Amino acid sequence: LQMPGGGAPQPVAVKELAPGASQREQDEFVREFRVAYAASQRCPGACRMYGCVHRGQALCLVMKQYAHSLADALDERCDGAPLSVQEALPIALQVATALEQLHAADIVVRDLKPSNVLVDEEGRMVISDFGIALVAETTLTRATVTGTGRPKGTTSYMSPELWNPEDLGRATGKADVWAWACVVVEILSGARPWRGKSEQQIMFQVVMKKGVPEIPVGLPTRLDVLLRRCFAYAAADRPTAGEIAV
């Protein structure tokens, strides 16, 4: 991408919507760009979005190219070894700070996970993929379930209210706080939350049994307590991203 003002061309990443997509899919794709662009303009902790363009018959989102994702970094570790607390805390705090910025801009991610945390060349973390994010003007009207009735999100990181919005209320930034704790548990344990369980089994554990992902033993007391607060069943009982980032 040639930058304005004659700067050196910058490498970009392109997300493409295949030709033949339905009008609904096209509308959602454009909406994702608008949310992501707004986030990138207002939040340093959001991925940098450049534009939405047509390439032939395909609709494309154009964004900054990042070095890798947090998921890639975890996969590259020898034998999937977990991070130490000393390694994990700076990552966790950067992600919490990014969430704080997004929530201040009235954006709820709803799909926070390691593959949606991108890392630049200097090791800075940013949040990407706003395809199912909620924004202020649509939080009261946009459904939390897909047309097939399946809850939106990635099952291993979903809070109780994302599974059961009818009874527990719409998603707020507290749903992202639950997902943040899932990410922290994953980087500290080397295992994805609820590994080996089906979607229905996870939903039963989270919604019916009020279960939480397994928290690694031996963590510093303050971190252990914080993670347990983030996994509170009632969203109102969880801390905000701002409280975590302090």
Side-chain angles (χ1 to χ4, degrees):
L1 178 68
Q2 181 66 52
M3 301 303 289
Q10 299 294 316
V12 297
V14 177
K15 180 177 181 178
E16 181 176 295
L17 182 64
S22 68
Q23 186 60 52
R24 178 180 177 181
E25 290 172 324
Q26 293 180 52
D27 291 344
E28 290 186 348
F29 199 70
V30 172
R31 177 192 173 278
E32 177 182 353
F33 163 71
R34 288 173 175 166
V35 175
Y37 186 78
S40 72
Q41 295 299 300
R42 301 170 65 182
C43 309
C47 66
R48 181 75 181 274
M49 187 65 61
Y50 293 129
C52 184
V53 300
H54 279 94
R55 183 167 64 178
Q57 297 298 312
L59 190 61
C60 302
L61 302 185
V62 183
M63 61 179 285
K64 176 180 176 178
Q65 185 178 65
Y66 289 85
H68 54 265
S69 70
L70 178 57
D72 294 333
L74 295 175
D75 289 342
E76 290 171 2
R77 289 179 67 87
C78 181
D79 299 322
L83 274 64
S84 67
V85 172
Q86 290 74 21
E87 293 172 311
L89 281 180
I91 295 171
L93 289 174
Q94 281 194 61
V95 175
T97 299
L99 285 178
E100 180 185 16
Q101 295 166 2
L102 290 165
H103 295 169
D106 294 318
I107 297 172
V108 180
V109 180
R110 293 201 302 174
D111 199 20
L112 180 68
K113 55 187 175 183
S115 60
N116 287 344
V117 176
L118 303 182
V119 187
D120 69 13
E121 298 80 2
E122 298 180 5
R124 290 187 294 254
M125 309 279 164
V126 298
I127 294 175
S128 70
D129 198 338
F130 298 92
I132 63 169
L134 287 172
V135 291
E137 61 269 24
T138 57
T139 47
L140 298 180
T141 58
R142 184 172 174 83
T144 305
V145 297
T146 65
T148 59
R150 182 188 177 281
K152 286 189 173 184
T154 302
T155 55
S156 295
Y157 308 89
M158 286 169 56
S159 63
E161 63 272 22
L162 285 179
W163 286 107
N164 187 19
E166 291 82 4
D167 294 331
L168 298 177
R170 66 180 177 86
T172 67
K174 299 297 186 70
D176 291 340
V177 167
W178 174 290
W180 174 87
C182 289
V183 171
V184 175
V185 165
E186 180 169 352
I187 63 180
L188 286 171
S189 67
R192 188 173 187 170
W194 309 112
R195 184 172 60 178
K197 295 188 181 297
S198 68
E199 179 177 313
Q200 283 68 33
Q201 288 173 326
I202 296 173
M203 180 174 66
F204 180 76
Q205 287 291 328
V206 172
V207 178
M208 305 304 296
K209 297 191 70 174
K210 300 185 178 181
V212 304
E214 184 176 354
I215 297 174
V217 298
L219 297 179
T221 301
R222 288 182 61 186
L223 179 57
D224 184 88
V225 170
L226 175 60
L227 290 172
R228 294 183 189 281
R229 288 182 62 208
C230 292
F231 285 135
Y233 187 80
D237 293 334
R238 298 175 211 147
T240 65
E243 291 170 331
I244 294 170
V246 171

